Amino acid sequence: MSRSASLLRITIAYVIAIAAGLAWLVWGPDTGQLWLDGLIADLVATLVIFAASRMHGNSSFYDAYWSVIPPLLAFYWWVAADAGVNDTRWWLMMAVLLAWAIRLTANWVRTFPGMHHEDWRYAVVRGRAGRFGIVADLMGIHVFPTLQVFAGLVPVYVVATRAGEPLGLLDIVAFVVGVAALALETVADLQMHRFIATRRPGQVMQSGVWSWSRHPNYVGECGIWLAMGLFGLAAWPGAWWVFVGTAAMLAMFLLVSIPLMEQRSLERRPEYRDVVQRVSLFLPRPPKKNDPSLSRT
């Protein structure tokens, strides 16, 4: 299947998924809680994408869900809560969230080669589950990330439903953090794209922001969710629980995504051992100088 045909099928699946979620919100039972209505609609849409993934034998149908759904949920909450259109905090937060969603979705579209490609991590997840592969596909690849992102959106819900709180310094800090995180992700992706286009077999990326962190794109991603948490705290001072989603995101990257990436890089690229010795795993810092005593084995 061609790349354009693959993207068309994925787009159709997303239109159906969003329509299914919207149908639940319009005609489904009213729980009386905006956040719960949003969660149920989110899960309904996720099940549609899961069905499309199984029909096409490719769980990468879900990849764009991470960035497509958050702005839609945010605007649903904002409209349903009848928040004020002049709420500066809301628009500052949405500027960051929308820019993040557009950038991440566009980056996925740009790099998705077609239906023949599936994120290699999905096969690992299903393989480890053995005969329960379909359960791992549903829960680990589709439902769990949906719940993860939903947790990250808790502060967005707070801002959407508590419009009118005074704008303060924390809002400015949140906006700066969000813009900085977005800039880091963008630069990291652009540098990686250029590297991939010219790299030799086995070569490892270790220049630009990738010389300060082995996973700068994940640092930027966590920074986005930290910014959302700061906006939520600004809207509801003392509500420390708005950072639960931020903490969950950090834990997922540090305990699941990064270890998988590290193992794969070490297995496929011998040069990566040198990078591990010199470059920070996560938080950016100046790289260590080469130490002749630390030779590869």
Side-chain angles (χ1 to χ4, degrees):
M1 186 183 300
S2 68
R3 180 174 180 275
S4 58
S6 299
L7 289 174
L8 177 60
R9 291 199 181 193
I10 292 173
T11 300
I12 292 172
Y14 274 73
V15 170
I16 296 173
I18 292 169
L22 181 60
W24 174 269
L25 293 174
V26 175
W27 294 296
D30 186 356
T31 67
Q33 300 290 333
L34 284 180
W35 69 267
L36 184 55
D37 291 335
L39 175 59
I40 295 173
D42 198 3
L43 290 171
V44 168
T46 298
L47 290 177
V48 173
I49 298 301
F50 171 69
S53 297
R54 299 300 299 183
M55 286 176 56
H56 291 83
N58 190 335
S59 293
S60 277
F61 256 81
Y62 183 85
D63 289 352
Y65 197 87
W66 183 278
S67 54
V68 168
I69 296 301
L72 300 179
L73 272 177
F75 276 112
Y76 161 70
W77 286 328
W78 180 67
V79 171
D82 195 24
V85 295
N86 294 320
D87 183 13
T88 305
R89 174 180 299 114
W90 165 260
W91 291 114
L92 285 175
M93 181 190 70
M94 286 308 299
V96 173
L97 189 65
L98 282 172
W100 164 82
I102 292 171
R103 190 210 70 81
L104 194 57
T105 305
N107 186 65
W108 176 80
V109 171
R110 175 185 177 184
T111 58
F112 184 65
M115 202 64 71
H116 62 277
H117 167 81
E118 183 186 50
D119 191 311
W120 60 269
R121 289 169 291 190
Y122 298 158
V124 172
V125 171
R126 292 191 298 265
R128 289 178 176 178
R131 60 178 178 171
F132 298 104
I134 188 172
V135 177
D137 193 4
L138 172 62
M139 300 306 298
I141 298 174
H142 292 78
V143 173
F144 175 74
T146 290
L147 297 177
Q148 190 92 14
V149 172
F150 192 88
L153 290 173
V154 167
V156 175
Y157 174 80
V158 169
V159 174
T161 56
R162 292 179 65 88
E165 294 291 324
L167 193 73
L169 178 61
L170 190 55
D171 294 292
I172 306 303
V173 172
F175 184 73
V176 171
V177 169
V179 171
L182 184 65
L184 177 58
E185 281 189 307
T186 302
V187 170
D189 282 343
L190 290 174
Q191 291 179 347
M192 181 57 76
H193 292 327
R194 286 197 296 266
F195 169 75
I196 290 175
T198 59
R199 68 180 173 183
R200 66 176 186 274
Q203 187 178 5
V204 179
M205 175 57 158
Q206 48 185 314
S207 61
V209 296
W210 298 85
S211 68
W212 284 54
S213 169
R214 304 206 295 275
H215 302 279
N217 51 335
Y218 290 159
V219 176
E221 186 69 16
C222 288
I224 292 294
W225 298 107
L226 173 60
M228 296 301 107
L230 291 171
F231 277 120
L233 186 63
W236 193 338
W240 58 267
W241 42 266
V242 296
F243 291 104
V244 169
T246 307
M249 290 286 182
L250 182 63
M252 182 192 70
F253 284 122
L254 291 179
L255 301 179
V256 181
S257 297
I258 288 179
L260 281 174
M261 296 291 289
E262 291 285 295
Q263 181 182 356
R264 181 177 173 86
S265 293
L266 287 170
E267 291 173 350
R268 293 162 59 93
R269 302 176 180 88
E271 290 183 14
Y272 196 68
R273 296 186 183 277
D274 296 334
V275 176
V276 169
Q277 294 171 352
R278 295 184 296 100
V279 180
S280 171
L281 173 68
F282 188 69
L283 291 179
R285 61 169 174 75
K288 297 177 182 178
K289 293 182 179 180
N290 286 317
D291 186 344
S293 67
L294 296 176
S295 58
R296 285 176 291 176
T297 58

